[in-house]
Amino acid sequence: MSKFMEVAANRDYSKEWQAPGSFPWIFQRPKEPIAGRPIRVKDNYTRCAKGEQPYWMPAYFYESNIVWPDAMEEHPVPEVDGYDWWGVNWMMVESAGGMITKPETRTIADFSNWKAELEWPDLSRVDFKTDGQKIQNMLDPDRPHIYECVEGVFERLHELIPFGESLMAFYEEPELLEEFFQKMADYKIESTKKVFENYGRVDGVLYHDDWGTQRAGFFSNEMFREQIMPATKRFLDYVKSQGKFIELHSCGKNIQYIPMMLEMGIDMWTPQLFINEPDFLHTTYGKDMTFTFPLMIAPDWNEDQIRQAVRDFVDHFGENGRVMCWIMVENFDQKLEAIAQDELYHYSLKYYNKLYDRK
């Protein structure tokens, strides 16, 4: 067992480990219950994710609980400069609000040697049960519980070795690369099963794997289908077999991959802001996939302006019942956000009652 895995295996997971103010810590915080809705918030959220005629348009993030285990050390725990259980060296970039692998970090000398050199996490040594009990106590039972499954099969590859070498493996070692991705799919299935078994009810999985730049995807469609899709689909097939919906987090202008996303069973994509055109996505794929689009609230708007912007958003994107609204307020003004949330619920409830002929 590696020294990094040994650290993970010997943590006291009855304690909270994440750094206050970090993304995992924020996701783990308890949320106030949402009362007075015609159906449970989790049921409505799932309806929207699956395209099953929601009662109102969900307010993204506000209406969900994220299951982010401390015991899943895909990043350093706590999330500050340090190593994960693969031995990858991470560093916090405050300006980006997140972590990146330290430049030129590597855990193996060369990709061609991964079978001999790479030490895989031994999940049997980790106390998921205690961590799961702790995390469950912070989850609102009325909200959907969504497992944040970070570091997908491609992301993990370029975290183990430099990014350029990862891309070269697609050309130089395609068969070995397929073996790596398939073994990584085995690991993702095993680790996700631990979450399903130990963290209470899980309604959906938010799968992370960044596939593109601000201009286009990293891979041709043919390369994606041949080398990214098989292992990814096998993991996602497992998630679907357990009755969960699938949301994709994939940064980059990745519109070109949507037909394959649909083939893989992905229900929902939250596209990277400002580079993936919401109107095109809604018009072209809005009946087949759920999207989260941003609604930007200016800090100087009055209440009437906020409520009108929300109504315009619902009118523009509501017709398929497959859009969630990500309310974004400069300076994180909670009063302005609360006004937008109130209008989103009440206006979209009327909108969908009329659209679906509900009394």
Side-chain angles (χ1 to χ4, degrees):
M1 183 168 60
S2 73
K3 63 180 181 180
F4 307 107
M5 191 69 219
E6 189 172 357
V7 169
N10 287 288
R11 288 188 190 275
D12 177 2
Y13 287 108
S14 65
K15 299 178 181 179
E16 290 194 52
W17 282 93
Q18 298 297 351
S22 68
F23 274 119
W25 183 87
I26 291 169
F27 289 159
Q28 292 171 344
R29 295 310 89 200
K31 294 182 177 180
E32 291 293 326
I34 300 173
R37 301 291 170 99
I39 64 172
R40 296 178 71 184
V41 174
K42 85 170 190 67
D43 295 333
N44 187 71
Y45 196 102
T46 302
R47 278 175 171 264
C48 185
K50 293 183 176 181
E52 296 174 350
Q53 299 185 359
Y55 279 71
W56 67 90
M57 182 180 287
Y60 186 71
F61 185 67
Y62 167 70
E63 292 189 18
S64 65
N65 268 140
I66 296 298
V67 179
W68 190 301
D70 285 334
M72 197 70 71
E73 299 210 12
E74 300 285 11
H75 292 171
V77 177
E79 194 148 300
V80 294
D81 292 8
Y83 292 85
D84 63 23
W85 61 17
W86 298 87
V88 174
N89 193 1
W90 293 78
M91 58 186 290
M92 178 62 72
V93 180
E94 296 296 342
S95 60
M99 303 202 79
I100 64 169
T101 54
K102 191 173 182 179
E104 299 306 312
T105 190
R106 63 170 64 247
T107 59
I108 53 179
D110 185 84
F111 178 72
S112 63
N113 296 328
W114 73 260
K115 288 185 179 182
E117 296 182 10
L118 184 57
E119 295 190 71
W120 292 76
D122 181 356
L123 302 184
S124 69
R125 303 294 298 274
V126 179
D127 187 4
F128 289 102
K129 182 178 180 180
T130 299
D131 190 52
Q133 291 171 342
K134 176 189 69 184
I135 296 294
Q136 285 182 68
N137 290 335
M138 293 188 280
L139 301 177
D140 175 11
D142 194 55
R143 281 177 164 85
H145 300 170
I146 303 171
Y147 167 44
E148 195 97 5
C149 182
V150 299
E151 313 317 311
V153 298
F154 175 64
E155 286 182 340
R156 182 50 68 184
L157 172 66
H158 66 73
E159 290 157 3
L160 297 170
I161 56 177
F163 194 86
E165 293 181 30
S166 299
L167 295 180
M168 288 303 297
F170 282 78
Y171 295 94
E172 295 179 342
E173 302 279 3
E175 294 180 359
L176 195 60
L177 182 65
E178 173 65 11
E179 287 187 71
F180 173 85
F181 283 153
Q182 290 294 344
K183 187 168 177 60
M184 189 59 66
D186 291 336
Y187 162 77
K188 300 303 284 188
I189 290 169
E190 181 187 6
S191 59
T192 301
K193 185 177 181 182
K194 294 290 187 184
V195 174
F196 293 166
E197 291 174 344
N198 292 284
Y199 290 77
R201 194 193 79 232
V202 176
D203 303 295
V205 172
L206 175 47
Y207 176 68
H208 287 236
D209 209 10
D210 293 344
W211 292 331
T213 70
Q214 289 189 317
R215 295 182 178 181
F218 292 129
F219 325 98
S220 69
N221 287 4
E222 293 77 12
M223 181 174 285
F224 185 96
R225 180 174 291 278
E226 290 176 7
Q227 296 180 283
I228 296 292
M229 188 170 169
T232 303
K233 186 177 187 305
R234 189 163 66 82
F235 167 62
L236 298 180
D237 283 347
Y238 164 73
V239 173
K240 279 296 182 96
S241 76
Q242 302 303 299
K244 322 300 183 185
F245 66 80
I246 299 170
E247 179 186 352
L248 175 68
H249 172 101
S250 186
C251 288
K253 190 170 184 178
N254 295 329
I255 294 173
Q256 69 193 75
Y257 303 135
I258 290 180
M260 287 172 280
M261 294 180 196
L262 293 169
E263 286 184 52
M264 289 189 287
I266 292 168
D267 300 292
M268 175 178 169
W269 179 33
T270 301
Q272 185 177 345
L273 303 180
F274 312 123
I275 62 172
N276 294 279
E277 301 89 343
D279 284 349
F280 175 82
L281 292 171
H282 175 65
T283 301
T284 309
Y285 298 107
K287 293 182 180 179
D288 303 312
M289 177 175 280
T290 297
F291 298 101
T292 298
F293 297 138
L295 174 60
M296 312 302 295
I297 304 295
D300 60 348
W301 283 3
N302 61 36
E303 181 172 340
D304 289 341
Q305 289 174 301
I306 294 171
R307 292 187 183 276
Q308 186 60 55
V310 171
R311 293 193 292 270
D312 291 343
F313 186 97
V314 174
D315 289 340
H316 191 69
F317 291 118
E319 61 185 332
N320 300 318
R322 300 208 69 166
V323 167
M324 297 191 187
C325 181
W326 194 347
I327 299 167
M328 295 187 170
V329 185
E330 256 185 81
N331 304 324
F332 305 102
D333 190 317
Q334 293 186 353
K335 291 183 179 179
L336 301 186
E337 188 173 350
I339 293 169
Q341 290 166 354
D342 179 75
E343 188 66 25
L344 179 65
Y345 168 64
H346 286 99
Y347 185 77
S348 65
L349 180 66
K350 294 177 182 177
Y351 180 99
Y352 286 129
N353 280 343
K354 181 178 179 180
L355 180 66
Y356 300 128
D357 195 27
R358 295 188 181 114
K359 304 301 182 184

